[in-house]
Amino acid sequence: MTESPAVRPYRPGDREALDDICVRTAHNGQDSRPHYDDPSVFTAAFAAPYAQLEPELAFVLDDGRGNAVGYVLAAADTARFAERFRTEWLPLVAERHPAPAGPPATPDETIAWLLHHPERMVVPELAAWPAHLHIDLLPEWQGRGYGRRLMRTLLAALAGRGVPAVHLVMTVANKPARAFYDRMGFEEIEGVPMDDSVVCLGRTTGDPDRL
């Protein structure tokens, strides 16, 4: 019997679905497979390490049949997460996704460079927003209120751990995502040194039920 879609904690059995969701939404919110030789570099950098290192802050949207069709992932302390990323996670994936020998020359190398430089996550100007997050849903599940449910669940979990605020970095080109974050109460954080192609947004974790 099929139940209604619901947000639930991540389970190890969701790993394959997590990777699939990441790959199918990684290119400015669209499918990355036509643009990358090995799009699994996205999961290695932006999805799997969160489920591995902080599973208590990983939540999925279950379609009612046990299948994950969306997720929200977070690190409560970005500086600590970056340390663990280098020492515990990177050795597991570095061989498949080696660091570029020089400046990144291909789309795959650009993401591989990010993978091999977790310290890039630690930005002094973001100290007041110590946590950071990633949220993605398969296209057919977007625009139906499920992203709001995922975000509400994560914010409540962060607040329960005493984390005051959270930030995210997104590509400027992903206009639908920006509209979603605006509705979720995120605001642009000024004075953060970023490339012009991305923007940093943040909000407090309080009052998640008001979303």
Side-chain angles (χ1 to χ4, degrees), residues 149-201:
R149 293 192 200 179
L150 284 166
M151 189 67 78
R152 183 185 293 124
T153 300
L154 176 65
L155 291 175
L158 288 170
R161 297 179 61 171
V163 180
V166 60
H167 73 271
L168 61 92
V169 177
M170 60 163 290
T171 58
V172 174
N174 194 346
K175 304 295 186 183
R178 179 58 189 269
F180 168 75
Y181 294 130
D182 287 346
R183 292 194 298 271
M184 295 299 101
F186 283 81
E187 298 180 347
E188 188 167 345
I189 302 173
E190 302 291 344
V192 181
M194 292 278 174
D195 183 274
D196 289 342
S197 65
V198 299
V199 63
C200 190
L201 309 176

Side-chain angles (χ1 to χ4, degrees), residues 46-174:
F46 301 122
Y50 295 84
Q52 176 89 3
L53 300 176
E54 296 206 41
E56 66 277 11
L57 291 176
F59 301 93
V60 303
L61 174 65
D62 190 306
D63 67 355
R65 295 174 294 178
N67 305 307
V69 293
Y71 61 72
V72 65
L73 312 166
D77 182 332
T78 297
R80 175 61 179 147
F81 180 78
E83 293 176 359
R84 295 187 65 199
F85 192 109
R86 176 163 294 285
T87 60
E88 299 177 40
W89 176 251
L90 191 55
L92 303 178
V93 296
E95 184 175 354
R96 176 168 180 174
H97 305 290
T106 67
D108 291 65
E109 287 188 353
T110 297
I111 306 304
W113 187 94
L114 297 175
L115 172 68
H116 283 266
H117 292 82
E119 293 79 14
R120 65 184 164 74
M121 303 182 212
V122 185
V123 181
E125 290 83 356
L126 293 174
W129 297 266
H132 72 273
L133 69 85
H134 296 281
I135 182 170
D136 290 297
L137 293 99
L138 293 177
E140 58 269 30
W141 293 88
Q142 296 174 15
R144 299 165 60 181
Y146 296 120
R148 184 182 301 272
R149 293 192 200 179
L150 284 166
M151 189 67 78
R152 183 185 293 124
T153 300
L154 176 65
L155 291 175
L158 288 170
R161 297 179 61 171
V163 180
V166 60
H167 73 271
L168 61 92
V169 177
M170 60 163 290
T171 58
V172 174
N174 194 346

